[in-house]
């Protein structure tokens, strides 16, 4: 159980275009989803926390107008990279949490397989 | 600020040898601690986690970790390394705000 999928797994786009990445919890409802960015040989950097039905909370330094996050349902969150540039090329990973903030004691985050974005 | 520190960005062991990956946490209140493994171009897979209770936690693939409050450590071990264990390993903590914070990762190489 607790499977998280991402689509697409890889995407190549031209500079200036927008790219949408989907994150789905396949067999559970996720009130909270997280978006991370990972540069080669580096750790994951939390970009934003996405809560179903409300605005995402962005980490300091992350441009909310550039990285649009929508969490329209309990099983789907999307990250849209608007007007992508080569420096946005990265590995984007989402994760989903089984419980709400009130059950943080035993919550585990389940990670998607990641999306490799290459901006030419 | 709460954080986890992984000592050693690269660890090499011979096949069949003990694997020891180090993680220390920094917090006035012990966080909830996790070890994840990442294979190339893949997401993270949970190996094990510590929340409360028994301080020796057993995970998948023969890995285990021991929470030592006195040392603020949560080191990952496996008695006998296998070639398939070669991957990137991340120690992570979670705070009361349900946010994860990751260590910088340790790349494990297994030498045949």
């Amino acid at each position: 159980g607790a499977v998280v999928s991402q689509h697409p797994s890889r995407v190549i786009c031209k500079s200036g275009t927008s790219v949408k990445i989907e994150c789905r919890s396949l067999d559970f409802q996720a009130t909270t989803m997280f978006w991370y960015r990972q540069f080669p040989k580096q750790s994951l950097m939390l970009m934003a926390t996405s809560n179903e039905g409300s605005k995402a909370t962005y980490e300091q330094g992350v441009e909310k107008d550039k990285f649009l996050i929508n969490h329209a349902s309990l099983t789907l969150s999307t990250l849209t990279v608007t007007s992508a540039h080569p420096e946005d090329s990265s590995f984007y990973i989402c994760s989903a949490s089984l419980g709400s903030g009130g059950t943080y004691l035993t919550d585990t985050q389940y990670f998607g397989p990641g999306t490799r974005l290459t901006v030419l | 600020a709460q954080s986890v520190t992984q000592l050693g960005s690269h660890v090499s062991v011979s096949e069949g040898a003990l694997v020891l990956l180090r993680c220390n946490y920094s917090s006035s209140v012990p966080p909830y601690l996790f070890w994840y493994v990442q294979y190339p171009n893949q997401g993270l897979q949970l190996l094990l986690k510590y929340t409360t209770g028994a301080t020796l936690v057993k995970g998948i693939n023969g890995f285990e970790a021991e929470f030592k409050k006195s040392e603020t450590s949560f080191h990952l071990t496996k008695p006998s390394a296998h070639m398939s264990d070669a991957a990137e390993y991340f120690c992570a903590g979670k705070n009361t705000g349900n946010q994860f914070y990751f260590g910088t990762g340790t790349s494990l190489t297994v030498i045949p």
Side-chain angles (χ1 to χ4, degrees), chain A:
Chain A
V3 177
V4 176
S5 70
Q6 279 185 245
H7 179 78
S9 57
R10 296 174 183 268
V11 57
I12 300 173
C13 68
K14 293 181 179 180
S15 185
T17 61
S18 294
V19 175
K20 180 184 285 187
I21 302 170
E22 294 185 347
C23 176
R24 293 182 184 273
S25 55
L26 297 184
D27 50 3
F28 66 100
Q29 293 184 329
T31 54
T32 305
M33 289 184 172
F34 303 84
W35 286 97
Y36 296 85
R37 184 173 181 176
Q38 185 181 31
F39 291 102
K41 305 295 184 182
Q42 295 188 28
S43 188
L44 281 70
M45 181 191 76
L46 179 64
M47 298 175 66
T49 302
S50 170
N51 295 296
E52 186 268 337
S54 63
K55 290 183 178 181
T57 303
Y58 290 82
E59 295 300 300
Q60 190 174 7
V62 178
E63 299 176 59
K64 59 182 65 177
D65 293 332
K66 181 167 187 62
F67 298 100
L68 300 179
I69 292 173
N70 183 274
H71 195 156
S73 76
L74 287 171
T75 59
L76 174 65
S77 176
T78 60
L79 167 68
T80 301
V81 183
T82 62
S83 186
H85 288 91
E87 57 265 30
D88 298 324
S89 298
S90 190
F91 194 52
Y92 292 88
I93 303 175
C94 74
S95 70
S97 177
L98 275 169
S100 66
T103 59
Y104 70 86
L105 286 176
T106 55
D107 274 356
T108 296
Q109 287 193 16
Y110 296 92
F111 287 81
T115 296
R116 173 75 59 193
L117 170 63
T118 302
V119 184
L120 303 176

Side-chain angles (χ1 to χ4, degrees), chain B:
Chain B
Q2 294 168 323
S3 66
V4 291
T5 302
Q6 291 184 242
L7 301 176
S9 58
H10 297 276
V11 171
S12 294
V13 300
S14 298
E15 189 174 16
L18 172 71
V19 176
L20 172 60
L21 305 182
R22 302 176 186 273
C23 173
N24 288 86
Y25 67 90
S26 172
S27 174
S28 59
V29 176
Y32 299 95
L33 297 164
F34 305 77
W35 274 100
Y36 284 88
V37 60
Q38 184 182 34
Y39 296 99
N41 295 311
Q42 294 186 29
L44 276 67
Q45 180 182 6
L46 179 67
L47 279 176
L48 49 81
K49 64 179 179 180
Y50 169 78
T51 53
T52 59
T55 57
L56 181 62
V57 181
K58 294 187 182 298
I60 62 172
N61 301 338
F63 285 94
E64 61 182 35
E66 185 170 11
F67 173 73
K68 292 187 177 180
K69 185 176 179 179
S70 61
E71 299 178 6
T72 61
S73 69
F74 190 58
H75 300 333
L76 181 70
T77 61
K78 182 175 180 178
S80 177
H82 191 273
M83 295 298 294
S84 60
D85 295 327
E88 189 82 16
Y89 291 80
F90 292 96
C91 180
K94 188 170 76 167
N95 61 19
T96 55
N98 206 30
Q99 288 185 332
F100 270 52
Y101 42 98
F102 286 86
T104 51
T106 298
S107 177
L108 176 65
T109 300
V110 181
I111 302 168

